[in-house]
């Protein structure tokens, strides 16, 4: 289980392949809310479940799925 208290606003979120997924807006229960101003967001807030997090280290959140998989799975509500 990842220590979600280490997740901070404006941290980058990267896929297991190192690709940029988004930027943290805040933690919303068991989901990470990504900023809608990130270039990858298309002007929408996206959510990723905390189960997708592999680690929080080096000032970033690394997911346990690739960038493409994360974007396929993210929710907008």
């Amino acid at each position: 289980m990842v220590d979600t208290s280490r997740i901070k606003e404006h941290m980058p979120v990267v896929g297991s392949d190192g690709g940029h997924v988004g930027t943290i807006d805040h933690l919303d229960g068991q989901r990470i809310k990504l900023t809608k101003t990130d270039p990858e967001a298309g002007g929408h807030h996206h959510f990723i479940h905390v189960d997708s997090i592999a680690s929080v280290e080096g000032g970033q959140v690394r997911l346990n799925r690739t960038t493409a998989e994360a974007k396929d799975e993210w929710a907008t509500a």
Side-chain angles (χ1 to χ4, degrees), residues 8 21 31 36 38-39 51 59-60 62 68:
K8 305 296 180 206
V21 175
R31 303 185 306 171
K36 64 180 180 182
D38 187 275
D51 287 349
Q60 66 184 14
R62 184 170 290 274

Side-chain angles (χ1 to χ4, degrees), residues 12-22 34 40 48 52-55 57 60-71 74:
V13 179
V14 296
S16 59
D17 56 355
H20 180 78
V21 175
L34 302 177
E40 297 296 316
I48 297 175
S52 301
I53 301 170
S55 64
E57 58 189 8
Q60 66 184 14
V61 174
R62 184 170 290 274
L63 303 178
N64 58 18
R65 39 191 43 70
T66 67
T67 304
E69 288 170 337
K71 290 179 180 179
W74 67 14

Side-chain angles (χ1 to χ4, degrees), residues 3 5 15-16 24-25 27 35 37 39-40 47-48 52-53 58 68 75:
D3 180 3
S5 69
S16 59
I24 301 286
D25 187 72
L27 197 60
T35 62
T37 55
E40 297 296 316
F47 296 88
I48 297 175
S52 301
I53 301 170

Side-chain angles (χ1 to χ4, degrees), residues 4 26-32 49-50:
T4 56
H26 67 273
L27 197 60
D28 183 15
Q30 291 297 302
R31 303 185 306 171
I32 299 169
H49 197 275
V50 294

